[in-house]
Amino acid sequence: MNTAGTADVPARMGLDLTPFRGLRYDPDRVGSLSAVTSPPYDVVVRPDGLQHLESADPHNIVRLILPQAPTPGIRNEQAADTLHRWVSEGVLRTDAQPGLYVYEQHDDEGMFQRGVIGALRLSEPSEGVVLPHEDVMPHVVADRAALMRATSANLEPLLLTYRGDGTSGTTAVIERTAKHPPLLSTTTEDGFSHRLWAVTDPADLAEIRADLAHRQALIADGHHRWATYLRVRGEHPSPSPWDYGLVLLVDTARHPLRVRAIHRLLHQLPVPEALAALDGSFRVRHLDGILSSALSALSVATAEGNAFLLAGDGTFHLVDRPSPDLLARTIPPDPPEAWRTLDATVLHATLLDHVWKIPDVPEHIAYIHDTAATVAKAERDGGTAVLMHPVREEVVRDLASQGVTMPRKSTSFGPKPASGLVLRALL
């Protein structure tokens, strides 16, 4: 399978997005394209969502991005065997020509986004070309790296944003391309419609390349996969296909992203114990009503300072107004004020580390994007859901431009690209 990244391209000051031969499902070999797609691996709520996706179609991409087996080694071997079998059987086919891919997502609520998928030359954060804004968990990077080594593939694109002018260059090529019939079109059960086009014309590719060559990108979603790309790249002599990673680039001057929070589920901490441990260091108000009303109260409280919503015992508890003395003792003084006052900073440095003394490991903390699912799992399992309010995008960009990373899983940018529409084989 041919792929991008075999030529020794000189280092650039900006983004270097390269065509590749996409690996895509043959619609005649699967039940439907929507039935073989999945949210990104870290958005799938386990085990319920995983089981739902596995039962949707025997070829659902979740069998590659989240293989199920007794040990990590067997899981990764199983994913590799599955990928190779699907390719040999023609379930997945490699496109004849290298290209970039225009990708469109829209829903009935007015969300509309277009971007371009390609193989992006990797760079370290210190180079200032691709900026991370969150810390990563080493065990997740190790897990993703093992899967990538086993499959020799980029199984799902990261979501990166850049600031163009919203009209020319890459955006102009995207808009021209979208006037033609797409390679594929499908609607997933979350209500999003997806369309994909190939960009293979040399003039269009050159226009995109020239436009992006002086751009800088922010990692919106996929910090662990970007760290995985960098780790695995270091294991191969350059030049090689591993010098590049699969990404979706979106111009937020044209298509502003939606920023949502990522919630925490504390498996081993019941709500009564969580509240008792606060012991006057935070204000606690018990809320009646439904989830939407509680989230509205959280939004009002976060406008005045740090605030969190605890759930899991059948009701909601608004926790805000932390003790200034407690914050002074638990928040590191050196980072910028914008970092010190983040809800995620206060949650991890003050509540998790100091008040609740909970280690940030999977046995104790799960990170869940879906609000209702977080509450439901906490109520079912007897744990505590900590619901967060989203961070403003300008805060994220400002910290990233300063080289300051936020606590892990601080934000959820979207809409995220569906996994399974286009893959990139490395060998």
Side-chain angles (χ1 to χ4, degrees), residues 348-394:
H348 283 263
T350 303
L351 283 170
L352 294 176
D353 292 351
H354 181 80
V355 175
W356 292 328
K357 296 181 171 57
I358 295 177
D360 193 357
V361 295
E363 293 78 15
H364 287 273
I365 304 177
Y367 294 83
I368 304 178
H369 293 70
D370 185 271
T371 309
T374 310
V375 175
K377 285 181 69 66
E379 292 179 345
R380 184 171 63 243
D381 301 341
T384 294
V386 183
L387 306 183
M388 310 279 287
H389 189 69
V391 181
R392 289 177 290 115
E393 182 180 356
E394 54 265 33

Side-chain angles (χ1 to χ4, degrees), residues 227-411:
T228 298
Y229 287 167
L230 293 175
R231 174 178 292 192
V232 180
R233 177 189 68 169
E235 301 167 359
H236 297 82
S238 185
S240 81
W242 302 89
D243 293 340
Y244 295 77
L246 186 65
V247 306
L248 165 65
L249 277 170
V250 174
D251 179 3
T252 52
R254 178 82 170 191
H255 301 290
L257 266 64
R258 180 174 56 200
V259 186
R260 289 180 170 172
I262 302 176
H263 310 296
R264 276 66 168 162
L265 174 60
L266 311 182
H267 296 296
Q268 302 180 32
L269 182 68
V271 173
E273 292 182 20
L275 295 173
L278 297 178
D279 192 25
S281 56
F282 284 75
R283 182 175 69 168
V284 179
R285 286 178 284 166
H286 305 286
L287 305 178
D288 296 323
I290 59 177
L291 176 59
S292 59
S293 299
L295 291 174
S296 295
L298 175 64
S299 178
V300 171
T302 53
E304 301 176 358
N306 301 116
F308 311 92
L309 197 63
L310 306 191
D313 61 349
T315 187
F316 300 99
H317 310 271
L318 185 61
V319 176
D320 65 354
R321 297 189 181 178
S323 161
D325 290 340
L326 177 62
L327 296 181
R329 287 187 284 112
T330 56
I331 304 296
D334 295 331
E337 181 181 2
W339 182 91
R340 298 196 309 271
T341 56
L342 288 170
D343 287 338
T345 298
V346 174
L347 173 61
H348 283 263
T350 303
L351 283 170
L352 294 176
D353 292 351
H354 181 80
V355 175
W356 292 328
K357 296 181 171 57
I358 295 177
D360 193 357
V361 295
E363 293 78 15
H364 287 273
I365 304 177
Y367 294 83
I368 304 178
H369 293 70
D370 185 271
T371 309
T374 310
V375 175
K377 285 181 69 66
E379 292 179 345
R380 184 171 63 243
D381 301 341
T384 294
V386 183
L387 306 183
M388 310 279 287
H389 189 69
V391 181
R392 289 177 290 115
E393 182 180 356
E394 54 265 33
V395 173
V396 177
R397 287 190 174 277
D398 179 59
L399 288 172
S401 67
Q402 299 178 59
V404 178
T405 53
M406 300 164 64
R408 60 196 65 172
K409 299 294 183 181
S410 293
T411 60

